[in-house]
Amino acid sequence: MKTHDPSRRKVIPVYEPDLSGNEKSYVMDCLDSSWISSIGSYIDRFERSLASVVGVPHAISVSNGTVALHLALHCLDIGPGDEVIVPSFTYIASVNAIAQTGARPVFADSQLHDWQLDPHAIEPLITSRTRAILPVHLYGAVCDMPAIMQFARRHNLYVVEDCAECLGASRGGIHPGAFGDIGTFSFFGNKTITTGEGGAVVARDNDLARRLRRVKGQGQSLTRRYWHEELGFNYRMTNVAAAIGLAQLERLEDILRRKRAIAQAYRRLLSKIPVDFQLPDSSVNSTNWLVSILLPRECDRARIMAEMMEDGVETRPVFYGAHQMPMYANLPRGDLKRASEISARGMSLPSFPTLSPLEIDQVVASLCSALARQGIASIGEKKTG
Ligand SMILES: *Cc1c(COP(=O)(O)O)cnc(C)c1O
């Protein structure tokens, strides 16, 4: 498999999926059996397997992680006139899904140590219109869900957890998505497991799960064909995508083990360099989805990234704050100082499961030279200017 041979790779990418398990044979099985649309045994097996990973009774596949969020909010009857509290520092889909229901996103700040929604930033933003909190578990870590659930219960709010980046993580032994009313997942090509494009919602409540399943399929009754009980959407996943997803889930433990080893290697090799790694709370078992760092404040990030690219190392800036986007610039919000700081200083390093130790050394060497050219040396070394 030449794409997995590092010597033939021109640029070390930030991400590429590892499809070396049963993916191909399961897809061929779909083609041979002609079950390529949204009915088929792989859909059921994928959903059951995902529910067991998360530890919830219901997992429902959908076509991507953005519609998973929209379906979740819609099925909690969130719409025009409502407000949903969301971190500004997140991938834009978390915010777009709120706006797509007609509700208004209200931006909360993040914590500097773990980059997650700050639970203490929530309460001051609550108004009579607030209906839900949408915590986002970023970069493989997990938000302070016990604190967030406490605020939610006190103010009678729904909680939709965006778990797109944290499959396989846990907090106090509980998988994210199992704390709130609904958890949503994405299986895009750069996520922990992929189905190409794909997503899922998980829920504990039986009635809510039935509604999610009905609404994702045009609102059609689950027992009576062509009888549509309410407004619905076509958010279905294909059996082909689920076949890839099932093969990926079979190897989840292996993928997670490799990702944790990669993160440990980066932390060890960069321990004397003044960059800040994401620091999850002690009860969190992070999956290190993308190993990401905050560069020193005085650093020119664009120049670091350009110089690393010249060495054949792709990196990626972390997300901009959603409040910086033109369509969300005039919304109510708290103080977003820390979200802005993480956005400005953050950078993701190559983190895909088949990244080799040799390639990790290359990434680290390239980062260290780029930092040295800006006068940033290892701790304990003299600055060369
Ligand atoms: C990837 C991602 C999504 C959206 O998933 P898609 O499958 O690309 O629609 C939502 N939220 C977060 C935090 C993500 O990283």
Side-chain angles (χ1 to χ4, degrees), residues 157-179:
L157 305 173
Y158 291 119
V159 173
V160 174
E161 297 177 69
D162 184 342
C163 306
E165 302 184 359
C166 68
L167 181 68
S170 63
R171 181 172 191 117
I174 297 172
H175 195 297
F179 292 94

Side-chain angles (χ1 to χ4, degrees), residues 53-320:
V53 168
V54 182
V56 288
H58 308 287
I60 297 152
S61 59
V62 295
S63 36
N64 61 64
T66 309
V67 303
L69 285 162
H70 180 250
L71 180 69
L73 294 166
H74 176 89
C75 289
L76 295 170
D77 294 316
I78 288 163
D82 297 335
E83 292 179 354
V84 178
I85 296 173
V86 64
S88 171
F89 179 66
T90 181
Y91 180 56
I92 197 69
S94 327
V95 181
N96 283 347
I98 298 168
Q100 284 161 7
T101 67
R104 185 156 76 160
V106 175
F107 296 125
D109 207 1
S110 306
Q111 311 186 114
L112 205 49
H113 67 282
D114 68 356
W115 314 1
Q116 313 295 325
L117 172 63
D118 180 358
H120 304 289
I122 294 171
E123 205 150 33
L125 298 175
I126 292 174
T127 71
S128 58
R129 293 166 175 265
T130 311
R131 296 285 313 284
I133 306 171
L134 200 162
V136 186
H137 308 294
L138 288 165
Y139 295 99
V142 185
C143 296
D144 185 350
M145 288 314 295
I148 292 169
M149 292 311 296
Q150 214 180 335
F151 285 119
R153 287 203 192 93
R154 187 184 307 156
H155 296 277
N156 203 17
L157 305 173
Y158 291 119
V159 173
V160 174
E161 297 177 69
D162 184 342
C163 306
E165 302 184 359
C166 68
L167 181 68
S170 63
R171 181 172 191 117
I174 297 172
H175 195 297
F179 292 94
D181 297 282
I182 303 178
T184 70
F185 291 84
S186 164
F187 308 115
F188 185 67
N190 65 6
K191 297 292 159 71
T192 304
I193 68 149
T194 186
T195 60
E197 291 274 6
V201 291
V202 299
R204 279 171 287 119
D205 184 82
N206 295 339
D207 291 335
L208 183 56
R210 260 194 298 276
R211 183 161 187 214
L212 290 161
R213 198 172 278 291
R214 183 167 68 221
V215 171
K216 91 159 195 194
Q218 305 286 20
Q220 178 176 262
S221 158
L222 298 176
T223 50
R224 189 171 166 198
R225 196 94 196 261
Y226 296 124
W227 185 253
H228 302 270
E229 295 174 334
E230 62 173 316
L231 170 69
F233 312 104
N234 176 0
Y235 284 171
R236 296 184 297 259
M237 175 183 271
T238 67
N239 198 43
V240 180
I244 298 171
L246 180 66
Q248 290 264 287
L249 275 182
E250 288 171 353
R251 289 187 303 119
L252 178 64
E253 283 313 313
D254 180 42
I255 291 170
L256 292 173
R257 198 164 36 245
R258 277 141 75 185
K259 292 174 76 66
R260 290 191 175 115
I262 289 166
Q264 270 169 16
Y266 275 129
R267 281 170 191 264
R268 182 167 37 81
L269 294 166
L270 290 168
S271 62
K272 293 220 166 66
I273 305 293
V275 295
D276 297 320
F277 283 88
Q278 192 186 19
L279 192 69
D281 293 337
S282 60
S283 60
V284 170
N285 190 3
S286 171
T287 62
N288 302 281
W289 168 57
L290 287 186
V291 179
S292 303
I293 53 175
L294 299 185
L295 293 170
R297 288 191 174 80
E298 64 272 25
C299 202
D300 177 348
R301 181 176 65 183
R303 210 179 113 200
I304 300 272
M305 293 179 59
E307 290 179 2
M308 290 180 74
M309 198 59 182
E310 279 170 33
D311 293 341
V313 177
E314 188 196 23
T315 56
R316 194 174 294 168
V318 298
F319 311 118
Y320 291 100

Side-chain angles (χ1 to χ4, degrees), residues 301-369:
R301 181 176 65 183
R303 210 179 113 200
I304 300 272
M305 293 179 59
E307 290 179 2
M308 290 180 74
M309 198 59 182
E310 279 170 33
D311 293 341
V313 177
E314 188 196 23
T315 56
R316 194 174 294 168
V318 298
F319 311 118
Y320 291 100
H323 68 284
Q324 294 172 268
M325 306 296 162
M327 66 283 198
Y328 298 132
N330 298 315
L331 290 174
R333 53 165 122 146
D335 174 16
L336 301 173
K337 233 189 307 205
R338 284 162 302 180
S340 303
E341 172 160 359
I342 298 164
S343 295
R345 292 173 56 202
M347 185 176 101
S348 302
L349 303 174
S351 310
F352 53 92
T354 56
L355 187 70
S356 71
L358 200 72
E359 288 174 310
I360 295 175
D361 287 343
Q362 264 174 269
V363 174
V364 167
S366 171
L367 173 61
C368 289
S369 345

